[in-house]
């Protein structure tokens, strides 16, 4: 990655788990080289990965601080994943060099100095303590703060809302008449999923917007490396929905099946996933799932819209040496055939046990079980953000009026 002022950069990335709008701008002191980013990382999604990618581009060495369950519960509400799960998920993101477990919620100069970090990085949203104070106030005053941009169209709040509201409008290529006919409620653009009865107005940081996939975004996430002679090409396929610790453990286990693994993940289209999973699955659409999987350090390549049956053409095209599947159920193809019949025939199919049976269904059940707590958390968070945004807006308007009056004199 790039060097600033010719020195090796260490930086601590501390942020509050809400994705990142593309691009970056320096808000720190010229000449400072290292930074830190910290976050709750409650439901690690591609928005967080995109922030980490941007942060890593600011230097050479990225340290990510991850908050404890206790800190998240105090300042934001109940976490979806345990801290042990979140620590491992963040370590699996390919732009992360090191993590700090139990990072403090408020970032101070002492924290940066402790980890030999020149600056910290956060998204261009705002992170507040339980009493409404900016968690980066101190480092901002001292010029040791930088920002990267949020990824439009994704937030933990939105993903939780998709699960609670049971919508399917986030699926690709499904028109609104389809989900209305199937009895699913509409999920209108810009809906605040904090709660259907949430506060009036929307936070500019939490409000939902549409995620638009681009070829540039895929290029930014992709490794760009082709398989080399001597590599063992391993193919796995599935939905990989709400990319979670169960997927990470599985892919790590697959990665360890060979000395020089080149892991290709085949992702099924939304309609295919919905066929065998039902309900409103997948929670994340094909574009979102692509970025989530590409961000994993154990993955070399992704096949977008892979065929459900792992057939001869696919195996020959990618010169696959090994096909792996976990301990989860294998659903039959549309014609009731075994989708892994061909690799089994070739003797290259292997069932692997990661030791982690967590599924996307389990994650959804965690949300549903604590539905009222999550709705209250999201509603409170957005109300607090709206109050801060309005205060910032009023201050800016006051300063502008003062400048106008002074110019008139």
């Amino acid at each position: 990655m790039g060097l600033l002022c010719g020195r090796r950069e260490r930086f601590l990335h501390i942020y509050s788990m809400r994705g990142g709008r593309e691009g970056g701008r320096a808000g720190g002191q010229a000449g400072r080289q290292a930074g830190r980013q910290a976050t709750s990382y409650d439901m690690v999604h591609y928005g967080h990965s995109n922030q980490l990618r941007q942060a890593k581009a600011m230097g050479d060495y990225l340290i990510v601080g991850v908050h404890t369950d206790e800190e998240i519960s105090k300042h934001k509400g109940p976490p979806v994943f345990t801290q042990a799960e979140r620590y491992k998920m963040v370590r699996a993101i390919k732009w992360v060099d090191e993590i700090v477990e139990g990072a403090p919620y408020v970032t101070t100069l002492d924290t940066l100095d402790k980890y030999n970090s020149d600056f910290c990085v956060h998204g261009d949203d705002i992170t507040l303590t339980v009493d409404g104070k900016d968690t980066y106030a101190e480092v901002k005053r001292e010029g040791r703060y930088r920002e990267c941009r949020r990824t439009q169209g994704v937030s933990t709040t939105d993903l939780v809302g998709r699960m609670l509201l049971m919508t399917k409008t986030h699926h690709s290529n499904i028109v609104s008449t389809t989900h209305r006919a199937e009895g699913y409620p509409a999920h209108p653009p810009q809906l605040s999923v904090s709660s259907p009865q949430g506060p009036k107005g929307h936070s500019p940081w939490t409000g939902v917007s549409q995620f638009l996939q681009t070829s540039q975004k895929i290029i930014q996430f992709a490794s760009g490396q082709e398989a080399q002679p001597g590599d063992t090409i391993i193919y796995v396929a599935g939905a990989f929905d709400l990319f979670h610790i169960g997927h990470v453990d599985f892919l790590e286990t697959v990665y360890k099946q060979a000395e020089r693994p080149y892991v290709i993940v085949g992702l099924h289209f939304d309609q295919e996933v919905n066929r065998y999973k039902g309900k409103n699955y997948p929670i994340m659409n094909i574009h979102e799932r692509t970025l989530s999987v590409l961000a994993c350090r154990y993955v070399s390549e992704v096949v977008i819209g892979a065929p459900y049956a792992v057939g001869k053409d696919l195996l020959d095209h990618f010169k696959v040496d090994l096909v792996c599947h976990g301990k989860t159920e294998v659903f039959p193809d549309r014609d009731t055939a075994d989708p892994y019949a061909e690799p089994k025939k070739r003797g290259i199919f292997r069932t692997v046990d990661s030791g982690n049976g967590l599924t996307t269904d389990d994650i959804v059940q965690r949300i549903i079980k604590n539905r009222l707590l999550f709705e209250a958390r999201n509603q409170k968070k957005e109300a607090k953000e709206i109050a801060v945004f309005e205060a910032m807006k009023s201050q800016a308007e006051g300063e502008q009026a003062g400048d106008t009056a002074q110019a008139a004199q």
Side-chain angles (χ1 to χ4, degrees):
M1 293 297 172
L3 294 172
L4 295 182
C5 301
R7 290 204 296 117
R8 187 170 187 261
E9 300 179 301
R10 288 175 59 86
F11 49 100
L12 185 57
H13 195 35
I14 306 189
Y15 68 106
S16 160
M17 204 66 186
R18 270 195 289 261
R21 217 180 281 133
E22 185 53 15
R25 62 177 182 272
Q29 177 179 337
R32 299 210 70 89
Q33 305 293 320
R36 173 182 190 265
Q37 179 160 8
T39 180
S40 56
Y41 274 111
D42 187 24
M43 288 194 67
V44 181
H45 53 66
Y46 64 92
H48 303 128
S49 299
N50 193 35
Q51 278 191 328
L52 293 172
R53 180 191 63 79
Q54 294 177 70
K56 182 62 181 283
M58 297 178 186
D60 292 320
Y61 197 86
L62 176 59
I63 308 171
V64 181
V66 184
H67 306 314
T68 63
D69 293 345
E70 182 180 2
E71 283 277 72
I72 298 171
S73 297
K74 176 183 176 182
H75 295 281
K76 298 181 69 173
V80 177
F81 292 106
T82 67
Q83 61 196 42
E85 291 172 334
R86 289 181 285 111
Y87 295 155
K88 191 163 189 178
M89 289 177 70
V90 175
R91 283 193 177 96
I93 296 174
K94 62 186 179 183
W95 296 287
V96 176
D97 296 301
E98 180 183 339
I99 81 161
V100 174
E101 298 182 0
Y105 200 78
V106 176
T107 304
T108 64
L109 296 176
D110 287 342
T111 303
L112 296 186
D113 292 340
K114 179 179 179 180
Y115 296 101
N116 192 28
S117 301
D118 292 296
F119 60 89
C120 68
V121 183
H122 188 273
D124 58 358
D125 52 351
I126 192 167
T127 304
L128 305 171
T129 62
V130 67
D131 53 358
K133 295 180 180 179
D134 184 350
T135 59
Y136 296 96
E138 181 177 327
V139 292
K140 285 179 179 178
R141 284 196 302 269
E142 297 300 319
R144 294 176 68 176
Y145 173 83
R146 297 188 182 187
E147 284 186 353
C148 51
R149 303 193 57 154
R150 293 188 68 244
T151 302
Q152 290 285 8
V154 63
S155 69
T156 300
T157 306
D158 180 34
L159 295 175
V160 169
R162 293 182 193 180
M163 289 179 253
L164 296 181
L165 299 177
M166 291 297 290
T167 61
K168 290 176 71 176
T169 52
H170 56 279
H171 291 181
S172 60
N173 303 321
I174 297 182
V175 295
S176 58
T177 53
T178 303
H179 30 63
R180 280 202 297 270
E182 294 178 357
Y184 287 91
H187 185 174
Q190 304 302 325
L191 170 67
S192 170
V193 294
S194 301
S195 168
Q197 292 80 36
K200 294 180 179 179
H202 305 296
S203 163
W205 302 297
T206 297
V208 179
S209 59
Q210 185 180 7
F211 171 68
L212 300 175
Q213 181 69 286
T214 65
S215 58
Q216 181 63 27
K217 184 64 62 191
I218 294 176
I219 291 171
Q220 289 170 343
F221 271 60
S223 67
Q225 298 179 346
E226 297 182 354
Q228 300 300 312
D231 288 350
T232 299
I233 301 175
I234 307 174
Y235 181 79
V236 300
F240 291 89
D241 192 18
L242 287 179
F243 196 76
H244 53 71
I245 188 62
H247 298 132
V248 170
D249 284 340
F250 168 68
L251 290 171
E252 182 182 14
T253 302
V254 169
Y255 188 83
K256 291 178 178 178
Q257 298 300 303
E259 186 175 340
R260 290 179 49 184
Y262 186 90
V263 179
I264 302 175
V265 176
L267 289 178
H268 302 143
F269 276 131
D270 297 344
Q271 292 85 345
E272 189 67 62
V273 175
N274 190 251
R275 176 186 70 81
Y276 62 80
K277 293 277 288 183
K279 301 179 182 178
N280 67 327
Y281 291 118
I283 303 300
M284 283 183 167
N285 65 43
I286 184 66
H287 308 301
E288 297 169 318
R289 291 183 285 120
T290 296
L291 297 185
S292 297
V293 174
L294 281 174
C296 180
R297 66 173 67 251
Y298 305 117
V299 176
S300 303
E301 181 65 285
V302 169
V303 179
I304 304 171
Y308 189 69
V310 183
K312 178 180 182 301
D313 290 344
L314 184 147
L315 296 175
D316 292 344
H317 178 81
F318 291 107
K319 299 179 174 61
V320 176
D321 299 303
L322 180 65
V323 176
C324 292
H325 190 274
K327 303 290 285 186
T328 56
E329 180 183 0
V330 176
F331 295 94
D333 202 352
R334 294 176 186 272
D335 59 0
T336 72
D338 179 358
Y340 292 105
E342 181 64 24
K344 287 178 179 178
K345 177 182 175 183
R346 298 187 182 197
I348 60 171
F349 179 81
R350 185 180 300 173
T351 300
V352 298
D353 186 1
S354 68
N356 188 339
L358 188 73
T359 66
T360 301
D361 284 326
D362 296 329
I363 303 302
V364 173
Q365 289 306 312
R366 289 184 187 184
I367 298 292
I368 293 175
K369 181 179 178 181
N370 296 290
R371 174 171 184 155
L372 295 179
L373 289 175
F374 282 115
E375 285 185 346
R377 178 187 79 165
N378 293 345
Q379 190 177 112
K380 181 179 179 181
K381 178 169 70 72
E382 186 164 16
K384 191 163 57 174
E385 290 176 351
I386 291 171
V388 172
F389 178 72
E390 291 299 329
M392 292 168 62
K393 182 179 177 182
S394 297
Q395 181 180 357
E397 290 174 347
E399 292 175 353
Q400 184 178 12
D403 293 340
T404 302
Q406 187 175 5
Q409 293 175 0

